[in-house]
Amino acid sequence: PEVTKPLLETSRKGYLAANSASAYSFVSLIQRIGPIMNKDGAALSLTYIASEDVIPGYGGGMSSAKAALESDTRTLAWEAGRKYGIRVNTISAGPLKSRAASAISEKGKKGFIDLAIDYSKANSPLSKDLYADDVGASAFFLLSPLARAVTGVTLYVDNGLHAMGMAIDSASLEGIHTPP
């Protein structure tokens, strides 16, 4: 996909490829594994906050694809829940270093993911690094019987960044007291 391109420069082919890879692939997966899953089983996908907020640099139609994935998660929760007795959820992970995230970077420049990690640490209620284990522990919960009544949910695992309506590291807020 054309993930490094702005949406206005994304081709139809790139846009559809992003939606195919990030949204339809999950629909296709549930179509095929739903009939053979155990009743009370669970399926899980990964999304990103760009589905609902503008994230400059997250391009190529990926924001639209993630919005489609979240909508499909809710619809699949209803349909697969009724048809197969399974739960369907998604995790909206905050920025963390990963091989997939590194693909969005240009050589020689501080990459998109590095900038997103810095921004997240500066503006999240929990100002700390996010680790794959944090996402994994949340996935474990959602896939376990502990979440037997949870379906159709987008669970934010992002140190609370999704809750923020304003960046506290903005120069516009100079002089306003914020907790350390």
Side-chain angles (χ1 to χ4, degrees):
E2 303 172 16
V3 296
T4 59
K5 289 186 176 181
L7 187 57
L8 283 173
E9 296 174 16
T10 301
S11 69
R12 177 180 174 78
K13 182 179 178 185
Y15 186 89
L16 294 174
N19 274 274
S20 178
S22 280
Y24 185 74
S25 60
F26 192 55
V27 173
S28 179
L29 177 74
I30 300 301
Q31 289 171 342
R32 285 161 181 74
I33 67 168
I36 61 172
M37 286 182 70
N38 292 331
K39 189 173 181 340
D40 299 323
L44 189 61
S45 65
L46 288 172
T47 187
Y48 186 53
I49 193 96
S51 64
E52 58 189 80
D53 293 331
V54 176
I55 307 293
Y58 193 77
M62 287 301 294
S63 56
S64 304
K66 293 304 185 182
L69 175 63
E70 291 178 24
S71 179
D72 292 348
T73 295
R74 293 184 294 274
T75 302
L76 289 168
W78 160 250
E79 292 181 5
R82 288 297 179 109
K83 190 168 185 175
Y84 308 122
I86 62 173
R87 297 174 287 111
V88 181
N89 294 296
T90 190
I91 290 177
S92 182
L96 55 89
K97 288 214 184 249
S98 71
R99 205 172 75 193
S102 299
I104 305 172
S105 305
E106 286 183 45
K107 288 191 182 220
K109 292 184 177 179
K110 192 167 191 177
F112 171 83
I113 194 63
D114 296 311
L115 295 170
I117 289 168
D118 292 347
Y119 179 88
S120 181
K121 285 173 69 174
N123 293 289
S124 295
L126 301 176
S127 181
K128 62 182 183 176
D129 285 326
L130 182 68
Y131 296 99
D133 286 351
D134 299 320
V135 178
S138 298
F140 178 81
F141 163 72
L142 286 173
L143 294 170
S144 79
L146 294 171
R148 68 181 177 266
V150 179
T151 194
V153 164
T154 298
L155 179 64
Y156 297 93
V157 182
D158 63 358
N159 289 325
L161 185 62
H162 73 279
M164 300 303 293
M166 183 180 288
I168 62 169
D169 68 346
S170 171
S172 305
L173 296 178
E174 219 169 278
I176 293 177
H177 174 71
T178 59

